[in-house]
Amino acid sequence: MDLLVSTQWLAEEMGASDLRIVDATYFLPEAGRDATAEYAAAHIPGALNLNLTELVDATSPLPNTLPPVEKFASRMQALGLGDGSRIVFYDNSPHHTAARAWWMFRLFGVESVAILDGGLSKWQAEGRPLESGTPTHRHRHFTVAKDEATLRSKDQVADAIAANSAGIVDARSASRFTGEEPETRPDIASGHMPGARNLPYSRLFNADGTWKRGEELRALFIEAGIDLDRPIITTCGSGITAAVVLFGAALLGKTDVALYDGSWSEWGADPTTAKAIGPA
């Protein structure tokens, strides 16, 4: 599969024995929306509910932290995702959370994964079928081979900034990046990491929710001051939309891109980390 698949491609491939469709919708708590309830009400036929809200490390004080290997493997087996599957993620989230699922699965060693371009909204707009309910699944064997090449810790990010060995790309809105808009949690400072560039994740999409591609996409990175010839570390508020920018870079053929999972929730709450205010 390509990194992105079209709604027409998915419609034609539905029913293939090795194809698994996965709803990776996630909403921030303040949105007041229940992704699992919305999945039960309407989803692409045969789709599984990933439930990113629960697919986290429950022992971490940070939001949306990657789950332990054992938890990830157990969850995939319970979903009926097994070895040899082709997996297509979609979402119905303003944060395009299929990208988070795509990155997570790649990190845990699953190679044959793609994102449905335009997500559930495009599928619905085209009048394609939906189903409701919460199906049960047969457990299948799922092999995990975690590779942390695309994951960065706070210390690794600090080292990269000090050595100027990678470009830091912040996916948050411009107002949060500059510090003009304060963080909602009082224990988190405003601003951004020194030397970071700002590429708001929302800019990577067309009006219909499909991904920008080719030179139009490349121009967004260049306009933001990002050197595509250097390694990149993406960051955001809690590691969700950082995956959107990481996937956008992957669409441009970049493989030397990693994600800072703690993101600003960790960096901004640490009084010892360096912080900058204003535009890049």
Side-chain angles (χ1 to χ4, degrees):
M1 295 185 297
D2 293 332
L3 298 182
L4 274 178
V5 299
S6 68
T7 50
Q8 182 61 36
W9 181 95
L10 184 60
E12 293 173 355
E13 288 289 315
M14 286 178 70
S17 60
D18 65 335
L19 183 68
R20 300 291 182 269
I21 307 168
V22 178
D23 188 320
T25 301
Y26 167 83
F27 302 114
L28 294 176
E30 55 265 33
R33 296 175 65 179
D34 185 333
T36 296
E38 292 190 17
Y39 162 84
H43 54 264
I44 294 176
L48 312 172
N49 180 30
L50 186 60
N51 196 350
L52 283 171
T53 301
E54 293 184 356
L55 198 57
V56 297
D57 182 354
T59 67
S60 173
L62 301 171
N64 304 316
T65 307
L66 276 171
V69 170
E70 298 77 14
K71 181 174 183 177
F72 182 83
S74 175
R75 175 64 176 163
M76 296 311 105
Q77 291 168 357
L79 274 177
L81 291 174
D83 297 340
S85 298
R86 293 181 297 157
I87 301 173
V88 175
F89 298 107
Y90 75 85
D91 68 71
N92 191 34
S93 169
H95 307 294
H96 301 276
T97 49
R100 172 75 181 190
W102 181 90
W103 168 74
M104 186 186 300
F105 273 63
R106 291 290 295 266
L107 183 142
F108 282 113
V110 185
E111 294 294 331
S112 190
V113 287
I115 290 177
L116 178 64
D117 199 13
L120 184 63
S121 61
K122 189 171 191 294
W123 183 270
Q124 288 179 293
E126 295 169 346
R128 300 187 186 274
L130 297 170
E131 68 178 13
S132 60
T134 304
T136 57
H137 312 290
R138 177 175 61 87
H139 278 56
R140 302 182 66 205
H141 181 71
F142 189 90
T143 303
V144 177
K146 188 175 182 181
D147 180 0
E148 297 190 351
T150 61
L151 177 66
R152 293 292 181 271
S153 66
K154 180 178 66 176
D155 288 344
Q156 288 173 319
V157 173
D159 289 344
I161 292 173
N164 193 28
S165 58
I168 311 298
V169 183
D170 194 320
R172 295 176 299 159
S173 66
S175 59
R176 287 183 65 193
F177 178 84
T178 61
E180 178 184 356
E181 178 186 350
E183 296 297 317
T184 55
R185 285 169 47 186
D187 59 329
I188 299 180
S190 297
H192 58 269
M193 299 166 198
R197 299 292 180 175
N198 183 214
L199 178 54
Y201 74 93
S202 58
R203 299 196 63 200
L204 275 59
F205 298 91
N206 298 304
D208 65 353
T210 57
W211 287 79
K212 294 180 179 178
R213 305 292 297 272
E215 290 307 310
E216 184 179 15
L217 178 61
R218 184 179 301 275
L220 292 174
F221 281 81
I222 295 172
E223 180 186 337
I226 301 162
D227 185 349
L228 290 170
D229 292 328
R230 301 181 64 218
I232 289 173
I233 300 172
T234 63
T235 181
C236 60
S238 62
I240 295 292
T241 58
V244 174
V245 174
L246 181 145
F247 185 80
L251 288 176
L252 295 176
K254 279 194 69 63
T255 57
D256 53 349
V257 186
L259 185 149
Y260 172 28
D261 202 31
S263 283
W264 196 252
S265 292
E266 181 177 41
W267 190 277
D270 186 343
T272 69
T273 56
K275 302 167 185 71
I277 295 290

